Amino acid sequence: MEFDFNINHIFPDEVTLIGEKSPFRNKTNSRLLERNLQIVIDTLGKRSAKAQQLTGSITTFLKSQLNNHRLFILKDDCANNGLGCVIGFLKVGKKRLFVLDRDGNHNEMNPLCVLDFYVHESQQRKGCGLCLFKHMLSMEATKASHLAIDRPSHKFISFLKKHFNLWATIPQVNNFVIFDGFFKNRSDMVRNSSSGSDKISQFRPLSRAVSDGIIKRNRQSDHTVMSTALKD
Ligand code: ACO
């Protein structure tokens, strides 16, 4: 994706992380850079939504800031006569979820989730997605099997199988997909010392009645969020 301004002024690295704080705070032309960043992110969000046949963008500059999402942006610095171009992006963020395990427990967790992922059509199947994904795993100090994925497309499912040998084995009741190994060796799990048992306590298994009630409420609020997103 080419723009009529210099991409290299906004994204210094081949893969640049845009987090909750503005990267331009101490720069003299920060307003202009921020406006251009907004144009790029909003454009990426629209392209991704179109590629996934969604009726509205799930990624915008404002939503990403409000929700503390982290965006990894891949660029080609030489394209467009040196102005550079944007090849794709990957968006992650933590979400409070109820995750079903093999025993049918709903576990209350706060895992890192992949929320949006897009590579420009002209650059797909050339390894750009993998480059973004590996960079994210390294920056977030996690592994692919520990992520929850929000409504993965068939291309993304194929990508995860090919590059990370991941298979979704436990169907979930929400839109998120988890893979074999999700519950294994998580660094965000702590042992429950108060009970003296070996049970992992960072995620709490809930009784069926309690979790069904929470899931129902979540579905209703999900619906509200989606309707808001679709109106944008
Ligand atoms: N059909 C099927 N599988 C595909 C396709 C396709 N058209 N394109 C990529 N893949 C998968 C395949 O496994 C492919 O391997 P193969 O070519 O040997 O079959 C592998 O991805 C290629 O890996 P990369 O080149 O590293 O990935 P790429 O740069 O193509 O990026 C991505 C993958 C981001 C999924 C890209 O295809 C894309 O933008 N798709 C459209 C948008 C989309 O579906 N995004 C995911 C939405 S779900 C979410 O974000 C939570």
Side-chain angles (χ1 to χ4, degrees):
M1 276 149 284
E2 295 178 351
F3 297 86
D4 59 4
F5 45 81
N6 197 325
I7 286 301
N8 300 308
H9 293 162
I10 314 174
F11 307 115
D13 306 316
E14 187 190 13
V15 178
T16 301
L17 167 62
I18 303 293
E20 56 267 36
K21 291 192 186 121
S22 166
F24 314 122
R25 268 167 305 157
N26 301 323
K27 299 210 171 169
T28 44
N29 52 349
S30 61
R31 278 205 171 172
L32 178 66
L33 292 171
E34 190 125 342
R35 187 196 69 119
N36 289 347
L37 175 64
Q38 176 159 10
I39 291 172
V40 172
I41 292 176
D42 290 350
T43 305
L44 285 169
K46 280 187 193 147
R47 299 290 308 222
S48 177
K50 196 170 173 209
Q52 296 175 61
Q53 296 170 344
L54 305 174
T55 42
S57 299
I58 44 174
T59 298
T60 67
F61 178 72
L62 277 179
K63 279 182 207 163
S64 297
Q65 280 198 324
L66 283 174
N67 297 306
N68 285 345
H69 290 153
R70 292 155 68 78
L71 273 76
F72 295 85
I73 315 253
L74 176 66
K75 71 165 184 180
D76 173 351
D77 56 355
C78 299
N80 196 15
N81 298 318
L83 290 180
C85 77
V86 177
I87 295 175
F89 79 105
L90 175 61
K91 180 173 82 171
V92 298
K94 292 213 168 184
K95 287 241 170 199
R96 187 166 165 257
L97 297 178
F98 296 92
V99 189
L100 262 177
D101 61 27
R102 280 185 197 288
D103 299 326
N105 295 314
H106 288 111
N107 301 284
E108 185 183 350
M109 300 182 73
N110 196 28
L112 188 69
C113 302
V114 179
L115 303 169
D116 206 356
F117 188 22
Y118 170 72
V119 166
H120 189 268
E121 282 70 12
S122 66
Q123 302 298 320
Q124 288 178 15
R125 289 187 139 158
K126 294 181 180 176
C128 299
L130 183 61
C131 170
L132 268 168
F133 209 87
K134 279 186 167 170
H135 196 93
M136 178 276 291
L137 292 178
S138 149
M139 294 288 287
E140 301 292 337
T142 188
K143 52 184 183 177
S145 59
H146 283 174
L147 300 165
I149 316 275
D150 189 7
R151 280 170 281 215
S153 63
H154 78 277
K155 289 186 186 180
F156 194 9
I157 287 174
S158 162
F159 171 95
L160 291 167
K161 261 184 210 160
K162 178 191 165 109
H163 295 303
F164 299 97
N165 198 24
L166 289 183
W167 299 80
T169 47
I170 311 171
Q172 300 295 314
V173 288
N174 50 32
N175 291 320
F176 286 82
V177 171
I178 61 160
F179 298 90
D180 222 15
F182 182 81
F183 293 102
K184 223 183 268 173
N185 302 328
R186 296 187 70 98
S187 61
D188 53 354
M189 297 196 307
V190 284
R191 302 243 168 226
N192 190 347
S193 52
S194 58
S195 72
S197 77
D198 241 1
K199 236 183 170 163
I200 303 298
S201 70
Q202 200 268 342
F203 51 87
R204 294 181 281 151
L206 304 172
S207 78
R208 189 67 192 234
V210 172
S211 61
D212 282 355
I214 296 168
I215 288 162
K216 206 166 156 195
R217 283 203 298 282
N218 270 6
R219 276 204 185 125
Q220 280 160 356
S221 72
D222 250 16
H223 184 72
T224 317
V225 171
M226 269 311 282
S227 325
T228 315
L230 297 179
K231 276 186 219 143
D232 286 345

